[in-house]
Amino acid sequence: MDIEIARFNMVEQQIRTWEVLDQGVLDLLFVVKREEFVPLAYRQLAFADIEIPLGHAASMLAPKIEAHALQALRIRKQDKVLDIGTGSGYMAALLAAHADRVWSVEIVPELAQAAFAALRQQRISNVTLEVGDAAKGWPAHAPYDAIMVSGSLPVLPPELLAQLKIGGRMFVIVGEAPVMNAQLVTRTAQEIYQSTNLFETMAPVLVNAPQPEHFTFWGLFEARELGMRKILPLLLLAALAADTAQAIDLLGAYRDAIGYDAQISSARAALDAGREKLPQGRAALLPTVGLSANTVRNDFDYKTRTDPVNESNAKYNSNGWAISLSQPLFRWQNWESYKQSELAVVQAEAQYELARQDLILRLTQAYFDVLLAEENLATARAQKTAIAEQLASAKRNFEVGTATITDTHEAQARSDLTTAQEIAAENDLLVKREALRTIVGKEAEALKKLRNGAQIHRPQPEDIKQWVTSAETNSLAVQLSRAGLEIAGREIWKQRAGHLPTLDLVATRGRSSLSETFALGRAAPGSDTDATTVGLQLAIPLFAGGAIASKDREAAALREKASADFDNARRGAALSARQAYLGVTSGLSQVAALEQAMVSSQSALDSNKLGYEVGVRINIDVLNAQQQLYSTRRDLAKARLDTLIAQMKLKAAAGTLNEDDVSAVNSLLE
């Protein structure tokens, strides 16, 4: 068995056709050698679409299920991963290739020992193997960014779910034979989990897996006897309350946006397209093989120009086939194209990460715009209520002769103005909610708000120079420009390679057959000819009309352009980092000042109300104090949200903004 052909067929015929399209996952299956983890007796079946027995009632999952699990989990370099059910150790090896650290737990000591030996032989050092019962998780190293359950569970134990980080993902097969579903479970908030059914399958049940409580008619009868008539309305009310009480939070909105937002969907498709540059570039280094065949019906009539005329006729078939191979041995431009394709993949991934960071910023801004619009509306309504009370007081005082009609008119004018402001605030809220809906794909009637007294921390490190340096190096825009500069540099060598000779290995094998032949006016017996040729083909360019030299100069000019673009990207990243850092620090100072201003404004309002009652202040003084208090309240809410946005922009400028930052901001909401 040709192992590499079998591996290729496994990836292309089993896995890719099963909607596993993540090129990073597909490439990984070529790197981690599955056959090295398969028991020797089943080595010939290492790439078959079956579960391979490991002994002790355990088995390896089918290759397509392993690949689908990797695609669903989206393992990142910084992730801590739990692998439940080590088995052969192959799944742990796949997880370790993308994760920072993997803890793999196996209940059977013999399997753990064999897996340890296989992992050590493959020099995989970031996997820790432990022996024990992990059917309900492994809390020793929790929480985890991702959990892989290499077996099935009849029900999901709460203890296992609790070991996921907020934002963590778990792949698990849930159910009982004959109905099991592979699920991706995501923890979106402290007590909220989102489950997505991926596909139906079957898998061995984990040892000591928790069992569900099965329904019985006897139990139903007992429930009715205990007062089901009273319980049912309570259950319905609880269900309705749960359905209406849950508010959308920022992390949940981000999860929805990842699947709905058109811009991130476009970027995801562009990433898939960009990753195809690598196999296209690699193809120019690999052999090309072609097959041709033909069949021809021949009909000849022969007449001589003599007297008498001699005539003859022949009808026969000729056919043949040929297979040809060409392997480049020296084509420097092909090698440069391959290296460019690697950089093109880097660009595609950086472009996708840039789109993902842009989604975080757009979503957070839209989410906070709704919160601010709600605050503005609440403030307008509260101010309207307060002014209405002041208007009623002015009317009463006028009626008893202790105030002039001017006080009433001033209060009425403020009341009318506040009504107009309330209408504008209601309209603005509808617009902001619609803007959020275009990103997340659902109505956002209730959003979690920023918690009162939520502590907004200063940027760490608290040094603007370090942030600027990080932005100049790690900003995604800088990474894009850096890759573009390297591509432009290789383009020069690619064009200069047009002056170099090329050398190819060529080979052909063919056969031609004639049922009969016709020569010199006579039919002759047919023939079969087999031909095989093998050789080297050298081509030396001598003159191309100056095109190669022109393309060389063009590539050099484009490299200068790429260099200038790279410098511009670095300077832009540095400027963005400075602006965002100053936005955070000034925002924190503004928040502190406005918090003090809130206290002062409330004191001023209380004093003016008291002064109005005793006659040392007039109505306009109270109205102005109310206006100042509510303006300060709006400004404080806006300053808090703007500071959080500035923090995210700072991390985006430094190239570090990710889902963890969304979770951190989400923890400030209630």
Side-chain angles (χ1 to χ4, degrees), residues 361 364-365 368 641-650:
L361 292 175
T364 306
Q365 185 67 65
F368 284 177
L641 298 177
D642 287 347
T643 302
L644 289 173
I645 286 287
Q647 280 188 338
M648 287 194 161
K649 288 182 177 180
L650 178 60

Side-chain angles (χ1 to χ4, degrees), residues 329-498:
L329 299 180
F330 180 79
R331 286 182 176 266
W332 191 253
Q333 59 268 44
N334 291 6
W335 175 255
E336 292 295 338
S337 294
Y338 171 64
K339 302 305 289 183
Q340 284 180 319
S341 70
E342 291 182 328
L343 293 168
V345 173
V346 172
Q347 275 191 318
E349 291 178 344
Q351 189 67 54
Y352 175 73
E353 286 301 311
L354 192 62
R356 191 178 58 80
Q357 288 191 353
D358 177 66
L359 173 62
I360 292 175
L361 292 175
R362 286 188 294 111
L363 171 68
T364 306
Q365 185 67 65
Y367 188 98
F368 284 177
D369 283 347
V370 174
L371 293 186
L372 186 58
E374 290 177 343
E375 178 64 27
N376 288 341
L377 179 58
T379 300
R381 287 173 175 171
Q383 189 173 3
K384 181 180 179 181
T385 301
I387 291 175
E389 293 175 356
Q390 194 66 24
L391 175 60
S393 175
K395 288 180 177 179
R396 287 194 303 270
N397 291 339
F398 175 71
E399 290 173 356
V400 298
T402 59
T404 66
I405 192 63
T406 303
D407 290 347
T408 302
H409 290 165
E410 288 173 345
Q412 186 65 55
R414 288 294 179 92
S415 178
D416 295 340
L417 178 61
T418 307
T419 300
Q421 291 174 343
E422 180 185 15
I423 294 171
E426 289 174 346
N427 180 72
D428 184 58
L429 177 58
L430 293 175
V431 171
K432 294 299 192 295
R433 281 178 175 168
E434 186 63 25
L436 181 60
R437 191 188 67 81
T438 61
I439 299 176
V440 301
K442 61 172 63 173
E443 296 293 339
E445 292 298 330
L447 298 182
K448 288 191 176 181
K449 305 179 185 298
L450 190 62
R451 187 172 64 248
N452 288 331
Q455 187 67 33
I456 304 176
H457 299 287
R458 300 188 68 83
Q460 297 297 326
E462 200 171 342
D463 183 357
I464 190 172
K465 292 183 179 179
Q466 293 188 40
W467 285 99
V468 169
T469 301
S470 178
E472 290 177 334
T473 305
N474 301 322
S475 167
L476 291 173
V478 172
Q479 293 181 35
L480 274 171
S481 296
R482 184 185 296 115
L485 178 59
E486 293 182 26
I487 289 174
R490 290 195 172 275
E491 184 66 22
I492 295 176
W493 290 105
K494 178 180 175 181
Q495 297 303 329
R496 289 177 181 174

Side-chain angles (χ1 to χ4, degrees), residues 217-233:
F217 284 101
W218 187 255
L220 177 60
F221 175 76
E222 290 180 345
R224 290 187 63 184
E225 291 300 314
L226 290 174
M228 197 62 168
R229 201 175 287 177
K230 295 181 179 179
I231 296 174
L232 186 58

Side-chain angles (χ1 to χ4, degrees), residues 554-584:
E554 178 189 20
L558 289 175
R559 189 198 179 281
E560 289 300 315
K561 175 184 179 300
S563 178
D565 291 341
F566 177 60
D567 290 340
N568 183 59
R570 292 179 69 249
R571 294 166 187 168
L575 177 60
S576 297
R578 289 190 181 95
Q579 290 175 333
Y581 184 90
L582 294 174
V584 175

